[in-house]
Amino acid sequence: MKRLWIAGASALLSMALGLGSAGAADKKVLAFVVNGASDFWKIAEAGVKKAQGELPDYNLQLKYPEQAAAAVQQRMLDDLVAAGAAGIMVSAVDPKNQTEHLNKIAGQTVLLTTDSDAPQSKRVAYIGSSNVELGKDAGKLMLKALPNGGKCVGFVGLLGADNARERIEGVKETIKGSKVELVDVRGDEIDQTRAKRNVEDALAAMPDVSCLVGFYSYNTPRIYEVLKEAGKLGKIKIIGFDEDPITLGGVKDGAIDGTVVQQPFEWGYQGMKLMAKVVQGDKSGVPANGIIIVPGKVIDKSNVDDFMAQMKQMLKK
């Protein structure tokens, strides 16, 4: 089912960007390689689509690996380089252990990172969130939701990815010295079935848990589903990341205390525009430290309606 979704998404994006035309074969390719199948990336696709409208001389592609595994992603990067891609922007599955391979890619094409940086690699720039700051925002939501303290369990896709590690670091830094504890974080390798089972297992193992935190976009919806099925919505606090429709609906109805969102639309749009300039030899848009932060925001019941309206308009474009 996962592969069908990926194929369908790629086909739709290709149609939307006009990549199926004969002329597209003559244009330089700029590719955006994500870390796994998730609806989160549909927002980035909308940004790529907008960039395509402003970069008619390029063929923009958004690629999903068949599996959220470093080896699979690396083969995809190798294939893009072999096919002559002029530039690649990637959310690395395992940045630390992929550095050597990313350096090889950077030696053959323009390489940018997004979402989860690979700071030790030779990438030209990182464009995305400060995941530590996002984690701090989540930590503040946890403190607000649990004024008397409590045990929390986190759930994430890729425990080794920088975005996961830094979000957890930000949470821990914020709740340090309080009565709120993050006692465990469970990874699922971006496997939806495993993500849901992790929540079920945590509830069974820790009946006194007070708060569940979804660190990746799909983790919070799985938390919501499990608590709903168990009749525990409203009894256990939920803190989320990103703007999945289930998450936003839960914030709206009060079952989820809040979610920390990013701006993947801007990653797709600004990232592709920057990559095109670098390909042309213009690095004026790259800061000295190579880091471009697109700020996130906290969504709670007070602003969720306005945010949902903005999202609806954005995805129409």
Side-chain angles (χ1 to χ4, degrees), residues 145-173:
L146 298 169
N148 298 317
K151 294 180 180 179
C152 300
V153 176
F155 304 91
V156 72
L158 303 166
L159 280 165
D162 278 12
N163 58 359
R165 180 182 56 77
E166 290 172 359
R167 290 176 193 182
I168 295 165
E169 176 188 326
V171 164
K172 288 182 175 179
E173 184 177 334

CSV table of all heavy atoms in Angstrom, one decimal, residues 145-173:
chain,number,residue,atom,x,y,z
A,145,ALA,N,0.7,21.9,29.8
A,145,ALA,CA,-0.3,20.8,29.9
A,145,ALA,C,-0.3,20.1,31.2
A,145,ALA,O,-1.3,19.5,31.7
A,145,ALA,CB,-0.2,19.8,28.7
A,146,LEU,N,0.9,20.0,31.8
A,146,LEU,CA,1.1,19.3,33.1
A,146,LEU,C,1.7,20.2,34.2
A,146,LEU,O,2.9,20.0,34.6
A,146,LEU,CB,2.1,18.1,32.8
A,146,LEU,CG,1.6,17.0,31.8
A,146,LEU,CD1,2.7,16.1,31.4
A,146,LEU,CD2,0.4,16.3,32.3
A,147,PRO,N,0.9,21.1,34.7
A,147,PRO,CA,1.4,22.0,35.7
A,147,PRO,C,1.9,21.3,37.0
A,147,PRO,O,2.7,21.8,37.7
A,147,PRO,CB,0.3,23.0,35.9
A,147,PRO,CG,-1.0,22.2,35.5
A,147,PRO,CD,-0.5,21.4,34.4
A,148,ASN,N,1.3,20.1,37.2
A,148,ASN,CA,1.7,19.4,38.4
A,148,ASN,C,2.7,18.3,38.1
A,148,ASN,O,3.0,17.5,39.0
A,148,ASN,CB,0.5,18.8,39.1
A,148,ASN,CG,-0.5,19.9,39.6
A,148,ASN,OD1,-0.1,20.9,40.1
A,148,ASN,ND2,-1.8,19.7,39.3
A,149,GLY,N,3.2,18.2,36.9
A,149,GLY,CA,4.2,17.2,36.5
A,149,GLY,C,3.6,15.9,36.0
A,149,GLY,O,2.3,15.8,36.0
A,150,GLY,N,4.4,15.0,35.5
A,150,GLY,CA,3.9,13.8,35.0
A,150,GLY,C,4.9,13.1,34.1
A,150,GLY,O,5.9,13.7,33.7
A,151,LYS,N,4.7,11.8,33.9
A,151,LYS,CA,5.6,11.0,33.0
A,151,LYS,C,5.1,11.1,31.5
A,151,LYS,O,3.9,11.0,31.3
A,151,LYS,CB,5.6,9.6,33.4
A,151,LYS,CG,6.2,9.3,34.8
A,151,LYS,CD,6.2,7.9,35.1
A,151,LYS,CE,6.9,7.6,36.5
A,151,LYS,NZ,6.8,6.2,36.8
A,152,CYS,N,6.0,11.4,30.6
A,152,CYS,CA,5.7,11.5,29.2
A,152,CYS,C,6.5,10.4,28.4
A,152,CYS,O,7.6,10.1,28.7
A,152,CYS,CB,6.0,12.9,28.7
A,152,CYS,SG,5.1,14.2,29.5
A,153,VAL,N,5.9,10.0,27.3
A,153,VAL,CA,6.6,9.1,26.4
A,153,VAL,C,6.5,9.7,25.0
A,153,VAL,O,5.4,10.2,24.6
A,153,VAL,CB,5.9,7.7,26.4
A,153,VAL,CG1,6.6,6.8,25.3
A,153,VAL,CG2,6.0,7.0,27.7
A,154,GLY,N,7.6,9.7,24.3
A,154,GLY,CA,7.7,10.2,22.9
A,154,GLY,C,7.7,9.1,21.9
A,154,GLY,O,8.1,8.0,22.1
A,155,PHE,N,7.3,9.5,20.7
A,155,PHE,CA,7.3,8.6,19.5
A,155,PHE,C,7.8,9.3,18.3
A,155,PHE,O,7.4,10.4,18.1
A,155,PHE,CB,5.8,8.1,19.3
A,155,PHE,CG,5.2,7.4,20.5
A,155,PHE,CD1,4.5,8.2,21.4
A,155,PHE,CD2,5.4,6.1,20.8
A,155,PHE,CE1,3.9,7.6,22.5
A,155,PHE,CE2,4.9,5.5,21.9
A,155,PHE,CZ,4.1,6.3,22.8
A,156,VAL,N,8.7,8.6,17.6
A,156,VAL,CA,9.4,9.2,16.4
A,156,VAL,C,9.7,8.2,15.4
A,156,VAL,O,9.7,7.0,15.7
A,156,VAL,CB,10.6,10.0,16.9
A,156,VAL,CG1,11.7,8.9,17.3
A,156,VAL,CG2,11.2,11.0,15.9
A,157,GLY,N,9.9,8.7,14.2
A,157,GLY,CA,10.2,7.8,13.1
A,157,GLY,C,11.6,7.3,13.1
A,157,GLY,O,11.9,6.1,13.3
A,158,LEU,N,12.6,8.2,13.0
A,158,LEU,CA,14.0,7.8,12.9
A,158,LEU,C,14.8,8.3,14.1
A,158,LEU,O,15.2,9.5,14.1
A,158,LEU,CB,14.5,8.3,11.6
A,158,LEU,CG,13.8,7.9,10.3
A,158,LEU,CD1,14.2,8.7,9.1
A,158,LEU,CD2,14.0,6.4,10.0
A,159,LEU,N,15.1,7.5,15.0
A,159,LEU,CA,15.8,7.9,16.2
A,159,LEU,C,17.2,8.5,15.9
A,159,LEU,O,17.7,9.3,16.7
A,159,LEU,CB,15.9,6.8,17.2
A,159,LEU,CG,14.6,6.5,18.1
A,159,LEU,CD1,14.8,5.1,18.7
A,159,LEU,CD2,14.4,7.5,19.1
A,160,GLY,N,17.8,8.0,14.8
A,160,GLY,CA,19.1,8.4,14.5
A,160,GLY,C,19.2,9.7,13.7
A,160,GLY,O,20.3,10.3,13.5
A,161,ALA,N,18.1,10.2,13.2
A,161,ALA,CA,18.1,11.4,12.4
A,161,ALA,C,18.3,12.6,13.2
A,161,ALA,O,17.8,12.7,14.4
A,161,ALA,CB,16.7,11.5,11.6
A,162,ASP,N,19.0,13.6,12.7
A,162,ASP,CA,19.2,14.9,13.4
A,162,ASP,C,18.0,15.6,13.9
A,162,ASP,O,17.9,16.1,15.0
A,162,ASP,CB,20.1,15.8,12.6
A,162,ASP,CG,21.5,15.5,12.6
A,162,ASP,OD1,21.9,14.4,13.0
A,162,ASP,OD2,22.4,16.3,12.1
A,163,ASN,N,16.9,15.6,13.0
A,163,ASN,CA,15.7,16.3,13.4
A,163,ASN,C,15.1,15.6,14.7
A,163,ASN,O,14.6,16.3,15.6
A,163,ASN,CB,14.7,16.4,12.3
A,163,ASN,CG,14.3,15.1,11.7
A,163,ASN,OD1,14.7,14.0,12.1
A,163,ASN,ND2,13.4,15.1,10.7
A,164,ALA,N,15.1,14.3,14.7
A,164,ALA,CA,14.6,13.6,15.9
A,164,ALA,C,15.4,13.9,17.1
A,164,ALA,O,14.9,14.3,18.2
A,164,ALA,CB,14.5,12.1,15.7
A,165,ARG,N,16.7,13.7,17.0
A,165,ARG,CA,17.7,13.9,18.1
A,165,ARG,C,17.6,15.3,18.7
A,165,ARG,O,17.5,15.6,19.9
A,165,ARG,CB,19.1,13.6,17.7
A,165,ARG,CG,20.1,13.7,18.7
A,165,ARG,CD,21.5,13.5,18.2
A,165,ARG,NE,21.8,14.3,17.0
A,165,ARG,CZ,22.2,15.6,17.1
A,165,ARG,NH1,22.2,16.2,18.3
A,165,ARG,NH2,22.5,16.3,16.1
A,166,GLU,N,17.5,16.3,17.8
A,166,GLU,CA,17.5,17.7,18.2
A,166,GLU,C,16.2,18.1,18.8
A,166,GLU,O,16.1,18.9,19.8
A,166,GLU,CB,17.8,18.6,17.0
A,166,GLU,CG,19.3,18.5,16.5
A,166,GLU,CD,19.6,19.2,15.3
A,166,GLU,OE1,18.6,19.8,14.7
A,166,GLU,OE2,20.7,19.2,14.8
A,167,ARG,N,15.1,17.6,18.3
A,167,ARG,CA,13.8,17.9,19.0
A,167,ARG,C,13.7,17.3,20.4
A,167,ARG,O,13.3,18.0,21.3
A,167,ARG,CB,12.6,17.3,18.1
A,167,ARG,CG,12.4,18.0,16.8
A,167,ARG,CD,11.4,17.3,15.9
A,167,ARG,NE,11.4,17.9,14.6
A,167,ARG,CZ,10.6,17.5,13.6
A,167,ARG,NH1,9.7,16.7,13.8
A,167,ARG,NH2,10.8,18.1,12.4
A,168,ILE,N,14.2,16.1,20.5
A,168,ILE,CA,14.2,15.5,21.9
A,168,ILE,C,15.2,16.3,22.8
A,168,ILE,O,14.8,16.5,24.0
A,168,ILE,CB,14.7,14.0,21.8
A,168,ILE,CG1,13.7,13.2,21.0
A,168,ILE,CG2,14.9,13.4,23.1
A,168,ILE,CD1,14.2,11.8,20.5
A,169,GLU,N,16.3,16.7,22.3
A,169,GLU,CA,17.2,17.5,23.0
A,169,GLU,C,16.5,18.8,23.5
A,169,GLU,O,16.7,19.3,24.7
A,169,GLU,CB,18.4,17.9,22.2
A,169,GLU,CG,19.4,18.8,22.8
A,169,GLU,CD,20.5,19.3,21.8
A,169,GLU,OE1,20.9,18.4,20.9
A,169,GLU,OE2,21.0,20.4,21.9
A,170,GLY,N,15.8,19.5,22.6
A,170,GLY,CA,15.1,20.7,22.9
A,170,GLY,C,14.1,20.5,24.0
A,170,GLY,O,13.9,21.3,24.9
A,171,VAL,N,13.3,19.4,23.9
A,171,VAL,CA,12.3,19.1,25.0
A,171,VAL,C,13.0,18.9,26.3
A,171,VAL,O,12.6,19.5,27.3
A,171,VAL,CB,11.5,17.8,24.6
A,171,VAL,CG1,10.8,17.3,25.8
A,171,VAL,CG2,10.5,18.1,23.5
A,172,LYS,N,14.0,18.1,26.3
A,172,LYS,CA,14.7,17.8,27.6
A,172,LYS,C,15.3,19.0,28.2
A,172,LYS,O,15.3,19.2,29.5
A,172,LYS,CB,15.8,16.7,27.4
A,172,LYS,CG,15.2,15.3,27.1
A,172,LYS,CD,16.4,14.3,26.9
A,172,LYS,CE,15.8,12.9,26.7
A,172,LYS,NZ,16.9,11.9,26.6
A,173,GLU,N,15.9,19.9,27.4
A,173,GLU,CA,16.4,21.1,27.9
A,173,GLU,C,15.4,22.0,28.6
A,173,GLU,O,15.6,22.6,29.6
A,173,GLU,CB,17.1,21.9,26.8
A,173,GLU,CG,17.8,23.2,27.2
A,173,GLU,CD,18.5,23.9,26.1
A,173,GLU,OE1,18.9,23.2,25.1
A,173,GLU,OE2,18.7,25.1,26.2
